[in-house]
Amino acid sequence: MKPAIQFNSVNYSIDGHPILRNISGAFYDGEITTLVGPSGAGKTTLLKLCNGLLSPKDGDITIGNLNINDYDPVELRRTVGMALQSAPMIDGSVHKNLALPLELQGKRLPDIQARDLLNDVGLSEDFLQRTSKELSGGQRQKVSIARTLVNRPQILLLDEITSSLDQVSQKEIEELIVKINRKYGVTIVWITHNLKQALNVGAYTWVMMAGEIVETGESELLESPSNERVRQFVKGELGWGSLH
Amino acid sequence: MGIIALIFSLIFVLIPIVLSKTLNLGLEKDTMIAVIRSIIQLFIVGYILKFVFDAESIIYIFLMVAVMIIAATLNARKKGAAIKGITWKIAVTLIFIEVLTQSILLGFNITPHTAQYIIPISGMMVGNGMVLAILFLNRFIAETEAHQDKAELILSLGGTPKQAVHIQLMTSIKASMIPTIESQKTIGLVQLPGMMSGQIIAGASPVQAVQFQLLVLFLLLTTASITSVMLGFLSYPTLFNKRMQLARSK
Ligand SMILES: Nc1ncnc2c1ncn2[C@@H]1O[C@H](COP(=O)(O)OP(=O)(O)OP(=O)(O)O)[C@@H](O)[C@H]1O
Ligand SMILES: [Mg+2]
C-alpha cells in the first residue's frame, strides 16, 4: 500500500510541553483512516501538522515523496484540505462561506455549484442566502464540509465533522464521504468520538492517547484491542455497548 | 499673566483635593502628583522652547522633534507589546508623518519656516499619531484575538496571512480613525478647540485663529489615516511566521 502521508518520529510541543510524541506511521493513499482517542490526545494537532497549520518540531512528514516543509504552504493547504473542529464561519451568507476558498484565489463560485454542494451535504438551496450567524451547530458543520470540498483536495482531513449532527444527517455525511473516497480516490483522515462511525467508515484506525499512537491497524482492531488502555477506552466510550 | 495670578490659580487645585478628601475618593495623592508634574514639565518645556526659539538653530528643532518622537514611541509601544518589533514600527510611522506633514507645510509655504511654527505643529502631529497608534493597537490586538478562528480558517483553505487578517485589519484601521473624524463634525459648536482658544486669548483675531485651526484639523486627518494604515501594514505580518502559520503556535 502506498502512503499518502508518512510520519517519521514526529514530535510536537508547545512551550516545552510535549503534545505529540514520536509519531510514526502512514495514512494510506486512497483509503479512509479514522483517528480516535480521548479528549486532549492530540488528534487535532496531528491533523493540523498535515495541513501545514502547524509544523513538526522534529521528525519528518512526507506527502507524496516530498517533505512537508518543502511545499508552498498555500499549495499544501489546497491539496490537503481540512474541515476544522469548530467549523468556523466568516460573517455573511452561506454562499459567501462556500465561495471563500475560490474568493481567496480571486475566483467566483457559480450558483449551480453552490447549490450542488449544499445538496451533497443535505441542506436545501434556501440556505444559500441565509447568514452564517443563523446556522445551528449541525448546519455549520455541513456548510464547513461543503466548503472544504470546494478546493477539491486530494487528501481530506475531517475533525469531528458530525459531532453535532443527528443520526440521519450523520449517516448522510458518512455516505457522502465514502462516495468522495470511492469516486475520486481521495485519501481521508477522519477524527471521530463515535467508535461505531470509526468502525463503519474507516478501513484503518489509529488510536491516540496522551500524544502517542497506542494502536493502529484495520478498523476491526477496535473490536478486540490488544492494548489494555485501548480496551478501557473502547469500553468507556458511549455508544459502544449498543454495538454488541 | 503674572506669578501672583498663577499662585491664585492654585485655588483650582485645592477644590478637587478638598472634594476628594471629604468624599474619601482617595485621589488627593494622584491629583498632587499630576499638578506637580504638570508644573515642572510645562515650565521646563517653556524654558526649552524659549531657548530654541532664541537660538534659531535647525539643530535644536531637530532635537526637539526627535525627543517628541522618542517619548511618543515609548508611550505607545506598551499597547503593542504583543507585536514583535512594535517600537521601531511606531517610530518609523511617526517619523514618516512628521516628514510628510512638514514637507508639505514648509514646501508650499503654508506655515513660516520658524521654530515657533514647526515645533508646536510637530507636537500636535506626533502627539496625535501616538494616540492613534494606541487606539489602533488596542483594537487590532483585540480583533485578532477574538477572530483567531476565522484567521485559521482562511489559512487552512489556502489563504495568505494578509487575507487571513484583512477584515480585522480594516475594522481596526476604520475604528481608530472614527473618533478623529467624528469629533471634527461637531467642532466649534460646543467647545472651541484648545489651540484656537489659546490664540484668541493671546490676542490673535478669531478669523486668523480659525484659519490656523482648520489647517491643524486637516493635518490631523492625515495623521490619523497614515498612522493607522501604516502601523497596520507594518504590524500584521508579525502575527504569522514564515510558514504562514499563526505565530502564537510557538
Ligand atoms: N494553542 C495551544 N496552547 C496550549 N496547549 C494546546 C494548544 N493547542 C492544543 N493544546 C494542547 O494540546 C493537547 C492536544 O490538543 P488537541 O486539540 O490536539 O486534542 P484533541 O485530541 O483534538 O482533543 P479533542 O478530542 O478534545 O478535540 C491538549 O492537551 C491541549 O490542551
Ligand atoms: Mg480536537
Side-chain angles (χ1 to χ4, degrees):
Chain A
M1 273 168 305
K2 208 173 90 188
I5 304 181
Q6 174 85 48
F7 299 87
N8 218 324
S9 313
V10 169
N11 287 295
Y12 184 77
S13 58
I14 295 175
D15 300 333
H17 295 285
I19 307 287
L20 293 177
R21 269 180 285 209
N22 202 24
I23 306 284
S24 292
F27 296 136
Y28 296 118
D29 192 40
E31 302 286 352
I32 299 180
T33 304
T34 51
L35 199 50
V36 299
S39 213
K43 306 181 293 295
T44 298
T45 308
L46 187 70
L47 290 204
K48 283 185 178 174
L49 287 174
C50 300
N51 169 260
L53 283 177
L54 302 172
S55 291
K57 297 290 138 140
D58 50 55
D60 296 310
I61 301 178
T62 316
I63 298 184
N65 295 331
L66 202 57
N67 189 297
I68 198 161
N69 293 327
D70 295 334
Y71 278 89
D72 167 54
V74 169
E75 193 193 325
L76 172 71
R77 289 164 191 169
R78 284 186 191 142
T79 316
V80 184
M82 177 161 181
L84 296 166
Q85 186 164 13
S86 59
M89 294 287 130
I90 56 165
D91 293 345
S93 66
V94 167
H95 186 280
K96 196 170 171 209
N97 270 278
L98 290 178
L100 182 62
L102 291 177
E103 201 201 303
L104 294 172
Q105 308 173 48
K107 296 181 198 153
R108 285 172 41 81
L109 178 74
D111 273 355
I112 302 183
Q113 210 182 324
R115 279 196 283 272
D116 285 349
L117 281 163
L118 282 188
N119 265 329
D120 283 346
V121 293
L123 286 176
S124 81
E125 298 174 5
D126 310 342
F127 276 92
L128 273 186
Q129 295 316 319
R130 296 244 195 122
T131 69
S132 59
K133 285 206 176 81
E134 296 170 27
L135 299 177
S136 73
Q139 288 163 345
R140 270 179 32 184
Q141 288 188 324
K142 290 179 173 180
V143 174
S144 166
I145 300 162
R147 185 177 55 196
T148 310
L149 297 177
V150 172
N151 276 336
R152 298 190 183 283
Q154 286 161 26
I155 300 172
L156 191 53
L157 312 173
L158 308 171
D159 197 348
E160 304 259 9
I161 52 162
T162 60
S163 59
S164 306
L165 297 184
D166 59 83
Q167 296 277 334
V168 177
S169 302
Q170 256 186 48
K171 266 271 157 312
E172 280 172 10
I173 298 298
E174 284 173 17
E175 281 162 18
L176 170 72
I177 299 299
V178 171
K179 193 176 93 187
I180 290 169
N181 168 254
R182 299 247 168 88
K183 199 164 159 193
Y184 304 105
V186 174
T187 306
I188 288 164
V189 185
W190 191 337
I191 296 177
T192 174
H193 262 115
N194 182 338
L195 294 184
K196 256 194 284 183
Q197 189 173 56
L199 192 57
N200 286 344
V201 300
Y204 300 91
T205 295
W206 288 25
V207 186
M208 289 186 70
M209 285 180 179
E212 286 174 311
I213 298 166
V214 284
E215 195 132 26
T216 61
E218 294 183 3
S219 297
E220 284 70 27
L221 73 89
L222 289 172
E223 290 183 311
S224 51
S226 54
N227 182 303
E228 179 55 32
R229 279 195 297 164
V230 178
R231 238 196 312 272
Q232 301 257 326
F233 169 68
V234 162
K235 226 190 269 174
E237 274 295 309
L238 231 83
W240 182 250
S242 59
L243 193 80
H244 284 276
Chain B
M1 203 167 93
I3 276 293
I4 304 290
L6 193 58
I7 287 169
F8 274 119
S9 72
L10 287 175
I11 294 172
F12 298 117
V13 173
L14 282 177
I15 293 174
I17 288 178
V18 170
L19 267 180
S20 171
K21 203 133 197 122
T22 38
L23 295 179
N24 264 327
L25 300 179
L27 293 174
E28 302 95 285
K29 201 175 147 210
D30 279 327
T31 312
M32 280 311 294
I33 291 175
V35 168
I36 292 169
R37 278 190 62 160
S38 48
I39 291 173
I40 295 174
Q41 289 167 7
L42 286 183
F43 266 111
I44 291 176
V45 169
Y47 281 111
I48 291 177
L49 283 179
K50 188 170 155 23
F51 171 75
V52 171
F53 290 176
D54 292 345
E56 283 181 17
S57 160
I58 188 127
I59 292 170
Y60 290 123
I61 298 180
F62 258 111
L63 274 177
M64 277 294 294
V65 172
V67 169
M68 285 172 188
I69 290 177
I70 291 169
T73 303
L74 294 180
N75 201 7
R77 73 167 179 178
K78 290 177 220 146
K79 293 293 171 196
I83 294 168
K84 239 183 292 160
I86 192 61
T87 308
W88 74 260
K89 289 181 169 116
I90 296 172
V92 165
T93 305
L94 294 178
I95 290 169
F96 180 77
I97 286 169
E98 170 66 12
V99 170
L100 179 84
T101 52
Q102 288 300 334
S103 308
I104 296 173
L105 288 173
L106 301 178
F108 288 104
N109 277 323
I110 300 172
T111 52
H113 301 197
T114 59
Q116 197 189 335
Y117 282 86
I118 296 173
I119 289 175
I121 292 177
S122 299
M124 284 186 274
M125 295 310 113
V126 172
N128 211 61
M130 176 187 80
V131 172
L132 257 291
I134 290 171
L135 282 177
F136 170 79
L137 289 171
N138 264 340
R139 183 64 184 256
F140 187 53
I141 289 166
E143 285 285 323
T144 49
E145 271 170 14
H147 300 293
Q148 212 163 49
D149 59 337
K150 287 174 194 162
E152 189 168 53
L153 167 73
I154 290 174
L155 292 177
S156 80
L157 292 170
T160 60
K162 190 169 161 200
Q163 289 172 322
V165 290
H166 184 259
I167 292 174
Q168 296 90 309
L169 187 59
M170 292 306 141
T171 309
S172 314
I173 289 176
K174 215 171 133 185
S176 59
M177 286 175 61
I178 284 175
T180 305
I181 298 170
E182 286 303 312
S183 69
Q184 295 196 6
K185 284 190 189 161
T186 55
I187 203 155
L189 293 182
V190 182
Q191 194 185 11
L192 293 180
M195 192 203 67
M196 197 173 115
S197 312
Q199 275 193 299
I200 293 173
I201 290 170
S205 94
V207 174
Q208 202 194 354
V210 164
Q211 285 173 357
F212 204 74
Q213 184 67 49
L214 281 177
L215 170 67
V216 170
L217 291 182
F218 299 159
L219 279 168
L220 290 181
L221 285 177
T222 285
T223 309
S225 55
I226 289 181
T227 308
S228 301
V229 171
M230 202 167 148
L231 202 51
F233 280 87
L234 287 176
S235 297
Y236 87 80
T238 58
L239 300 176
F240 302 87
N241 63 22
K242 278 200 222 78
R243 307 275 320 147
M244 297 194 185
Q245 297 160 345
L246 288 169
R248 75 177 151 103
S249 327
K250 283 180 214 107

